[in-house]
Amino acid sequence: MPRLVTVKIDGIEIRVPSGTSVAAALALAGKQITHRSVTGQQRGPFCGIGVCLACRVTINGQPGCRSCKVSCQEGMEVITDG
Amino acid sequence: MAKTILDMDVVIVGAGPAGIAAAVTASRFGLKTALVEDSPGPGGQVWQETPSGRPWSRRWLNRLRACGAQVLGGTTAVCPVDQRTLLVETLDDHHVLAWRHLILATGARELLLPMPGWTVPGVFGAAGLARLAKNGWPVAGKKVVVAGSGPLLLPAALTLKRYGARIALIAEQAPIGRLIGFALACMYLAPAKLLQAWLYGLRLANVRYKMGCWPASVEGDVCLKKVSLVHKGLKIAIDCDILACGFGLVPNLELARLLGCSIQQGVVCVDQWQRTSVPGIYAAGEQTCIAGMEHAILSGRIAALVIAGQYQEARPMLGACSRARRFGHALARAFALRPEVLGLADQETIICRCEDVTAGQLQPYTDWRKARLMKRCGMGPCQGRICGAALSHIKAWPYPTARPPLLPTRIATLIEGTMAVQKAANEAKGDQI
Amino acid sequence: MKLTCDIAIVGAGIVGTACAYYLAQEGLKVIVIERGPVGGGSTGSCMGHIVVLHDSVPHLALTSFGRQLWQQISLGLPEGVEYNQCGTIWLATTQQQIQQLRSQQTYYNQYGIATQLLDQDALCDAEPCLRKGVAGGLYVPDDAVIYPPAAACYLLAMAQSNGAMLLQGCQVMAIGPDGSIRLQGNQIIYAGIIINAAGCWASQLDRQLPIIKRKGHLAVTDRSGAVLRHQVVEVSYLQSVRQDAGASVAFNVQPRKTGQILIGSSRQIGAEGTEVEMPVLAHMLQRAVEWMPILANLKVIRAWAGHRPSTPDHLPMIGPCPGNERVWLATGHEGLGLTTSLATAHLIANMIAGRPCQIDPGPYLPGRLLQGTYA
């Protein structure tokens, strides 16, 4: 059984297995939408490998982080703009 | 503030099979080696260690751990600062790596082609979704259509199935005739691959697999509802939750381009020793030829051996490496894209997902520069990685010039990294006097 | 086929297209010749500010006239041009600079240019993300920013709707004193008047033109919300503009309609290429962070460099070449091509038509920098 870590997503705490990507944690928290496009469309992760930058969120106050490329760490705070 | 610079004999960018093989090999000869990887851990798209799954190849990863090379995970290459330094960034920090030899092993990404509805949440790259699933993305119980082209569709489908997805269909655009020819060629070039494909086949035995079949459009609003595909001239509609769709691989050339390495026919030009056109810079793996894992390992090892001056050991690998490249060429021919999949977008389909530029808006333009200037196509945060690859296939537009930073980078990183290099250069000057 | 026209304009940057815009309105037969994309040279790599600048009386006259003309057409501009009358705030840190802002204000008042002095608190309200303790600012509400290549495209399209013709992808090899233009492939165009609006490349057509390239770097951030409201410039920007040697940087940021922040500026002489030079870029960004610490944490998505066409006295060359009434110049606008493009074109249209100009064209006539006849 993998260790669990707690992350806060848009203010709500969720526990996920250590090593889970932030993108996955967002989906587990029911947030498949990470941002609104420039014309206001809802968008979520797309390429899955850190290239398209559609999954950008704010992590620990750092804006524009690719959530698919970051593993959840204990106490991490994630903010989406979806 | 300005931090010290990590002085390395060899810096390798990309910790997939090519980068890992190069790091392990270089370290064997006492070369001080750093391996830079964008993902949290090493492994690349094929060997990544996952929280719930097992690593595909524990052997190389164990060797990497044991070899003494410094592995910088979660670290993104930003740009060169001067001719012998590379600025890299992490989630909340940055470093400067000074190198005597640089090996580019940045691998490849999926070709993602525009079609009506492809911006709806629920559309993913095929290998991309498999990667997301390996890192905990919940696909269990989801009904997934896997579509596109290339040998990666099978392992992607298999991974998704292993994580509990229901695979409704695997659709390969290449016609059956060409794939049979390819299988015959494989018997000579890469019999192991055939065996692998057969094993995939066994494990995906109860999954529908159609050749000469491709996705045409996606319906859905907030989330995906239905995928329409074309098969034997007929439209098939499948209700599903997810479309996992990739049309083969394109090399990640951005760093090579920024470093001024010569690029021809869509790959980094290297000689038989994996040397690029820029002295001191080598390239290995998929960005020199999309030819799979064996080629990646061999070319990574050759690059490192050449750096270590071990031509004797490298020479016997050249034959296998070139055979692997021939396999890559056969692969490219077998899975060549049919014109239909390059023309799926209609006037309203968004081509540049960052700036929401539609095909209709791009119609008046004949080249990148105009499309960029007038419509901002490719000027968003991904810097044309998605639409650039798509347009190079759809309109045969060559890629636009690369500019730093390679990916969106904190302003503080650009300032402090550059200042660190300048400070070191000034100190070196002072020492000389 | 022999092509003839009343006016041939070399260069479809913002200045060339502005000339086409007014001259085609006059009913003249205009041909615009461009080797690359419309607005693809300095126009495509510049910041896109429409600002009144008070470096000298002729500067003030030309920039305020130019700004007025932009304002007049602003309502008709398509959305893609991104005209945004965000105003400029000039920043002062020392008492001496505050004095400088006061005299700037008096000066502007004489020309009827609206301004407002901001004290420390007012500045903080206007731009909350500026570092604390900036002594004061001068707000110039009618200044604007624009997306330059789209503006050039619009002006050209309007000219085309009045009959102007664009020859794109055509390299001009030579221009003759008889009004002939030789294109690559030896096609000749005969024009009543040739307007050399080739910006930095104008001197390739006429070696005697004293135009040098001043390289500038820019960086643009990811879309980052409401961090910035106005174009903000430090007062010492003017020193940077005047500096004639080495590299200099000054704090100059713009809010774009896209929510991005455009960060400038740098000036270098003698740098031919347009590659990004990290030391200059880093220096420029550091200056920006000193003024707006919040920028340090924002992400740059793209950095680039371009050239400004600069003259020895930092004023453009507008009007006929001395000794040859058939070859005119509209170049050398340095960093103010956007602001002064319409004013430049307006002057040229009036001079060609023999009408009085709204401002004195004297200070911009090429004769001041060129001797002898056009060869």
Side-chain angles (χ1 to χ4, degrees), chain B residues 117-423:
Chain B
W118 75 317
T119 49
V120 171
V123 179
F124 298 89
L129 182 62
R131 184 74 190 262
L132 283 170
K134 286 184 193 173
N135 290 312
W137 177 279
V139 292
K142 295 271 165 62
K143 191 172 170 192
V144 181
V145 169
V146 177
S149 193
L152 283 182
L153 293 185
L154 294 179
L158 194 60
T159 302
L160 295 172
K161 193 170 169 239
R162 202 167 60 221
Y163 285 96
R166 293 179 290 139
I167 310 294
L169 172 71
I170 303 172
E172 164 62 58
Q173 59 88 39
I176 185 160
R178 230 177 320 111
L179 294 182
I180 290 171
F182 175 65
L184 292 173
C186 277
M187 289 167 81
Y188 164 66
L189 287 169
K193 299 268 184 201
L194 263 191
L195 180 69
Q196 201 180 29
W198 182 65
L199 288 173
Y200 286 141
L202 281 186
R203 278 179 280 175
L204 289 164
N206 51 358
V207 174
R208 274 204 295 170
Y209 182 82
K210 284 188 198 295
M211 283 169 275
C213 176
W214 62 90
S217 66
V218 174
E219 281 171 47
D221 179 9
V222 186
C223 61
L224 191 152
K225 296 221 159 40
K226 187 188 282 183
V227 176
S228 294
L229 301 104
V230 177
H231 187 232
K232 291 182 178 162
L234 296 173
K235 266 228 156 107
I236 329 167
I238 299 180
D239 292 331
C240 60
D241 306 306
I242 287 173
L243 171 65
C245 183
F247 289 91
L249 296 175
V250 286
N252 292 320
L253 300 174
E254 287 74 17
L255 179 55
R257 209 177 267 127
L258 197 56
L259 291 162
C261 301
S262 163
I263 287 161
Q264 271 170 26
Q265 291 169 337
V267 292
V268 181
C269 293
V270 287
D271 62 9
Q272 61 175 343
W273 305 114
Q274 306 300 133
R275 290 183 293 214
T276 70
S277 62
V278 180
I281 303 182
Y282 300 71
E286 302 281 77
Q287 60 180 330
T288 62
C289 181
I290 304 280
M293 196 170 69
E294 284 73 21
H295 169 257
I297 294 170
L298 281 165
S299 58
R301 288 172 70 191
I302 291 169
L305 288 169
V306 168
I307 288 169
Q310 305 294 320
Y311 289 86
Q312 287 294 346
E313 194 180 330
R315 191 162 282 117
M317 297 178 193
L318 298 180
C321 196
S322 97
R323 197 158 51 245
R325 274 197 295 273
R326 286 215 300 284
F327 166 74
H329 298 146
L331 197 71
R333 280 192 300 274
F335 293 97
L337 295 179
R338 59 175 71 235
E340 291 95 322
V341 301
L342 299 175
L344 295 174
D346 62 25
Q347 294 289 301
E348 278 75 49
T349 306
I350 285 168
I351 304 290
C352 171
R353 302 169 62 104
C354 293
E355 296 290 330
D356 284 0
V357 184
T358 63
Q361 288 174 310
L362 284 180
Q363 199 144 46
Y365 304 106
T366 49
D367 65 48
W368 257 115
R369 283 195 63 209
K370 288 176 197 151
R372 280 174 79 127
L373 279 170
M374 296 307 156
K375 291 291 170 231
R376 295 181 191 280
C377 185
M379 302 240 286
C382 96
Q383 285 291 289
R385 279 174 172 76
I386 303 295
C387 68
L391 288 171
S392 82
H393 283 78
I394 295 171
K395 295 200 181 216
W397 287 358
Y399 282 80
T401 35
R403 298 211 189 285
L406 286 165
L407 282 167
T409 302
R410 274 192 306 280
I411 288 177
T413 296
L414 294 169
I415 296 172
E416 289 165 22
T418 307
M419 303 238 157
V421 172
Q422 285 179 303
K423 188 169 162 241

Side-chain angles (χ1 to χ4, degrees), chain C residues 99-337:
Chain C
Q99 275 311 317
Q100 210 178 318
L101 290 184
R102 289 222 171 84
S103 51
Q104 187 180 342
Q105 186 179 35
T106 318
Y107 195 27
Y108 278 19
N109 282 344
Q110 290 168 12
Y111 283 82
I113 297 158
T115 54
Q116 189 191 339
L117 269 173
L118 306 175
D119 63 13
Q120 207 164 326
D121 291 340
L123 189 57
C124 201
D125 288 341
E127 284 299 344
C129 292
L130 277 175
R131 72 156 190 256
K132 298 290 164 263
V134 178
L138 183 69
Y139 175 43
V140 187
D142 293 334
D143 284 352
V145 298
I146 203 165
Y147 184 57
C153 229
Y154 166 75
L155 293 176
L156 182 69
M158 296 307 282
Q160 284 172 309
S161 71
N162 283 318
M165 196 172 118
L166 170 68
L167 291 182
Q168 205 168 9
C170 296
Q171 169 107 33
V172 173
M173 304 309 287
I175 54 182
D178 58 345
S180 66
I181 294 181
R182 188 161 58 81
L183 302 179
Q184 199 168 27
N186 278 329
Q187 187 177 13
I188 309 276
I189 295 171
Y190 293 96
I193 286 176
I194 299 169
I195 300 174
N196 182 348
C200 284
W201 301 272
S203 50
Q204 286 179 1
L205 301 174
D206 181 356
R207 296 268 160 233
Q208 62 160 348
L209 296 184
I211 291 195
I212 52 166
K213 291 177 178 172
R214 293 189 121 196
K215 186 171 178 176
H217 284 72
L218 289 173
V220 69
T221 67
D222 201 352
R223 288 162 207 257
S224 28
V227 171
L228 188 68
R229 300 167 184 174
H230 310 85
Q231 161 157 251
V232 183
V233 191
E234 61 174 310
V235 160
S236 53
Y237 176 80
L238 285 176
Q239 272 93 60
S240 162
V241 171
R242 288 192 202 110
Q243 186 174 328
D244 280 327
S248 65
V249 298
F251 174 57
N252 183 358
V253 288
Q254 289 181 350
R256 305 303 307 187
K257 271 200 166 169
T258 52
Q260 295 169 289
I261 298 173
L262 186 54
I263 305 174
S265 63
S266 74
R267 281 181 144 75
Q268 283 166 275
I269 289 194
E272 264 304 307
T274 54
E275 74 282 359
V276 172
E277 297 168 57
M278 289 303 288
V280 180
L281 177 69
H283 190 191
M284 181 183 95
L285 292 173
Q286 191 188 27
R287 185 68 151 249
V289 168
E290 283 165 11
W291 285 98
M292 278 191 112
I294 196 173
L295 292 177
N297 209 28
L298 295 188
K299 291 197 167 181
V300 162
I301 65 168
R302 193 171 64 256
W304 68 97
H307 287 116
R308 311 171 179 92
S310 169
T311 63
D313 62 2
H314 302 291
L315 281 173
M317 295 193 281
I318 305 169
C321 283
N324 190 323
E325 293 292 315
R326 299 191 74 160
V327 180
W328 290 48
L329 296 175
T331 183
H333 293 75
E334 197 161 338
L336 291 168

